[in-house]
């Protein structure tokens, strides 16, 4: 539950650590955060692996809709994947 400023600072810090050669493992309920930082994603539900692989492949509309049980779209905007959902 980070505000946008702290989320940006954390993202930059994690990118910096990764660029220095550190391996990072983190959990998140925010797929946009995973898209921004991860090369590989493991998507789990109730202790079972649903999807595992390259983040840009694993995080897609069908997988997120399946995971969250609610319609989710992954759209491309200016070369970047963005998450969109209807509340």
């Amino acid at each position: 539950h980070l505000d946008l400023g702290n989320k940006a600072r954390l993202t930059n810090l994690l990118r910096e650590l990764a660029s220095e050669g550190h391996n990072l493992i983190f959990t998140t309920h925010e797929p946009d955060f995973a898209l921004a930082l991860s090369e590989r994603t493991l998507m789990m539900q109730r202790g079972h692996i649903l999807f595992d692989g390259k983040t840009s492949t694993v995080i897609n509309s069908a997988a997120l809709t399946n995971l969250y049980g609610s319609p989710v779209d992954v759209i491309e905007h200016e070369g970047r994947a963005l998450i969109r959902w209807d509340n």
Side-chain angles (χ1 to χ4, degrees):
H1 301 299
L2 296 173
D3 61 58
L4 289 177
N6 282 315
K7 190 173 185 179
R9 283 186 275 289
L10 178 61
T11 301
N12 290 335
L13 173 63
L14 294 175
R15 280 190 181 132
E16 183 179 326
L17 290 169
S19 73
E20 293 172 358
H22 296 277
N23 290 316
L24 305 174
I25 299 172
F26 66 93
T27 63
T28 184
H29 289 270
E30 299 184 45
D32 57 333
F33 199 52
L35 280 168
L37 290 170
S38 302
E39 294 177 15
R40 180 177 173 198
T41 294
L42 179 76
M43 206 178 288
M44 297 182 70
Q45 185 177 56
R46 295 185 183 105
H48 299 283
I49 297 171
L50 295 179
F51 306 99
D52 178 17
K54 186 176 177 183
T55 298
S56 60
T57 303
V58 169
I59 296 182
N60 61 62
S61 298
L64 293 175
T65 296
N66 181 27
L67 178 68
Y68 294 117
S70 182
V72 179
D73 290 320
V74 179
I75 59 173
E76 191 79 19
H77 179 70
E78 296 181 5
R80 224 175 124 200
L82 299 174
I83 309 298
R84 188 178 71 162
W85 70 96
D86 293 322
N87 327 36

